[in-house]
């Protein structure tokens, strides 16, 4: 059995999740709804990203944007260890305003999926420690906020579109799956709604999202299940309400995407 350890740690600030992992697990292609910011502590990994395939080793900063399709596999047999902070997109607008010197702040994104910077690595170490420290008091809160602003100020850049014009029906089909991931969505109906042939729809949708419609729908369902599990719903009910055929199917997709079984995630969220 693969060596595997995932910990969801209590975090000082609302809207941020902290994860510590040490594993040889190879993740399938998946997305997150949050901004991800982390540090490889040991070993190395190779991963797809929105900017191509990248490699990251011990001491490297790693990032991922919401909706960015990525995966991750260890380089070598020893696995790798990393720490990660996941920030809800709602957390970013206020931080972006804080970082803006004047005028409206544009949408932002991480532009470097892997970065070698000893200074940023040291700053992330302080940030993760401050975020996960359980000592009470405003000094810890100050350290966490200070480190987070400095970290994001050094990494976030204005977002730029990286794809050409898309058929107008593609955003409509995508919104349909976003709004009702548990609903039935056949290729015929999605293509018809988009005003395209099935083949045209497949190509255009994959170009827009980096995933086939089926893979995208599974991601929307597993994110919905994760949200429901975090709210305390039983696993079987979360699976049904998210559109999975049964709990075991949900569990397989959950592990492929997040590296831990949904039951363990539920336990961690209960604290």
């Amino acid at each position: 059995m693969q060596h595997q350890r995932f910990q969801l740690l209590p975090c000082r600030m609302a809207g941020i999740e902290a994860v510590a992992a040490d594993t040889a697990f190879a993740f399938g292609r998946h997305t997150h709804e949050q901004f991800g910011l982390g540090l490889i502590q040991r070993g190395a990994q190779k991963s797809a990203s929105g900017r191509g395939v990248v490699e990251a080793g011990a001491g490297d900063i790693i990032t991922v944007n919401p909706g960015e399709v990525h995966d991750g596999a260890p380089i070598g047999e020893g696995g790798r260890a990393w720490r990660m902070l996941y920030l809800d997109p709602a957390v970013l607008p206020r931080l972006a305003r804080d970082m803006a010197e004047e005028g409206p702040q544009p949408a932002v994104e991480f532009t470097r999926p892997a970065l070698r910077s000893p200074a940023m690595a040291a700053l992330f170490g302080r940030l993760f420690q401050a975020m996960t420290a359980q000592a009470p008091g405003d000094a810890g809160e100050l350290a966490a906020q200070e480190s987070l602003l400095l970290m994001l100020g050094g990494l976030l850049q204005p977002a730029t579109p990286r794809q050409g014009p898309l058929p107008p029906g593609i955003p409509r089909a995508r919104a349909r799956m976003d709004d009702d991931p548990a609903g039935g969505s056949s290729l015929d109906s999605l293509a018809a709604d988009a005003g395209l042939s099935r083949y045209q729809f497949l190509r255009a949708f994959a170009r827009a999202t980096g995933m086939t419609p089926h893979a995208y729908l599974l991601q929307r369902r597993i994110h919905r299940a994760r949200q429901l599990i975090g709210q305390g719903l039983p696993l079987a009910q979360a699976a049904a309400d998210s559109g999975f055929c049964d709990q075991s199917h949900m569990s397989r997709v959950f592990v492929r995407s997040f590296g831990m079984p949904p039951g363990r995630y539920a336990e961690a969220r209960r604290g």
Side-chain angles (χ1 to χ4, degrees), residues 26-113:
F27 291 86
R29 286 164 60 84
H30 66 285
T31 63
H32 294 281
E33 294 187 318
Q34 309 114 309
F35 288 88
L37 171 63
L39 176 70
I40 301 287
Q41 295 180 294
R42 179 188 63 77
Q45 74 170 10
K46 184 176 183 179
S47 60
S49 76
R51 287 172 168 77
V53 176
V54 296
E55 294 185 0
D60 286 349
I61 295 292
I62 52 176
T63 67
V64 65
N65 294 297
E68 183 177 359
V69 181
H70 62 291
D71 56 15
I75 298 175
E77 298 181 356
R80 73 284 198 211
W82 70 91
R83 290 181 171 181
M84 206 80 186
L85 293 172
Y86 292 101
L87 290 73
D88 288 347
V91 173
L92 266 292
R94 179 183 175 188
L95 296 173
R97 287 195 299 271
D98 287 343
M99 291 183 288
E101 294 184 3
E102 59 182 24
Q105 177 70 14
V108 291
E109 65 180 356
F110 292 126
T111 59
R112 290 171 287 187

Side-chain angles (χ1 to χ4, degrees), residues 2-271:
Q2 287 182 326
H3 167 61
Q4 185 168 316
R5 180 179 63 84
F6 283 87
Q7 290 180 285
L8 184 63
L9 304 174
C11 198
R12 180 178 291 276
M13 291 179 62
I16 301 178
E17 286 186 345
V19 174
D22 189 337
T23 180
F25 184 76
F27 291 86
R29 286 164 60 84
H30 66 285
T31 63
H32 294 281
E33 294 187 318
Q34 309 114 309
F35 288 88
L37 171 63
L39 176 70
I40 301 287
Q41 295 180 294
R42 179 188 63 77
Q45 74 170 10
K46 184 176 183 179
S47 60
S49 76
R51 287 172 168 77
V53 176
V54 296
E55 294 185 0
D60 286 349
I61 295 292
I62 52 176
T63 67
V64 65
N65 294 297
E68 183 177 359
V69 181
H70 62 291
D71 56 15
I75 298 175
E77 298 181 356
R80 73 284 198 211
W82 70 91
R83 290 181 171 181
M84 206 80 186
L85 293 172
Y86 292 101
L87 290 73
D88 288 347
V91 173
L92 266 292
R94 179 183 175 188
L95 296 173
R97 287 195 299 271
D98 287 343
M99 291 183 288
E101 294 184 3
E102 59 182 24
Q105 177 70 14
V108 291
E109 65 180 356
F110 292 126
T111 59
R112 290 171 287 187
L115 170 67
R116 172 57 58 94
S117 170
M120 294 299 283
L123 179 57
F124 180 85
R126 296 194 295 272
L127 169 61
F128 195 89
Q129 175 63 29
M131 282 291 178
T132 57
Q134 296 304 299
D138 56 3
E141 185 77 16
L142 175 61
Q145 293 177 351
E146 177 182 282
S147 298
L148 181 60
L149 279 171
L150 290 174
M151 193 87 203
L152 294 178
L155 293 175
L156 286 173
Q157 298 293 328
T160 56
R162 290 186 295 279
Q163 60 187 18
L166 293 168
I170 297 301
R172 186 166 62 248
R174 184 174 181 173
R176 174 177 159 184
M177 287 186 274
D178 289 343
D179 294 340
D180 185 20
S185 297
S186 70
L187 183 58
D188 285 341
S189 65
L190 288 169
D193 285 350
L196 301 170
S197 73
R198 292 183 301 172
Y199 181 68
Q200 289 172 328
F201 177 75
L202 275 173
R203 285 173 57 88
F205 192 91
R207 180 159 62 92
T209 67
M211 291 182 161
T212 66
H214 177 255
Y216 183 86
L217 182 61
L218 281 182
Q219 283 298 296
R220 299 315 304 155
R221 287 178 174 175
I222 203 61
H223 284 297
R224 175 61 176 157
R226 183 173 180 268
Q227 181 184 44
L228 294 175
I229 293 167
Q231 293 172 357
L233 262 68
L235 299 186
Q237 183 179 348
D241 290 356
S242 302
F244 287 97
C245 59
D246 54 38
Q247 183 178 328
S248 63
H249 186 205
M250 178 194 72
S251 296
R252 291 194 298 272
V253 179
F254 200 100
V255 171
R256 255 194 337 260
S257 297
F258 306 123
M260 68 176 73
R264 190 186 305 168
Y265 178 77
E267 291 174 3
R269 287 301 300 266
R270 288 195 297 265

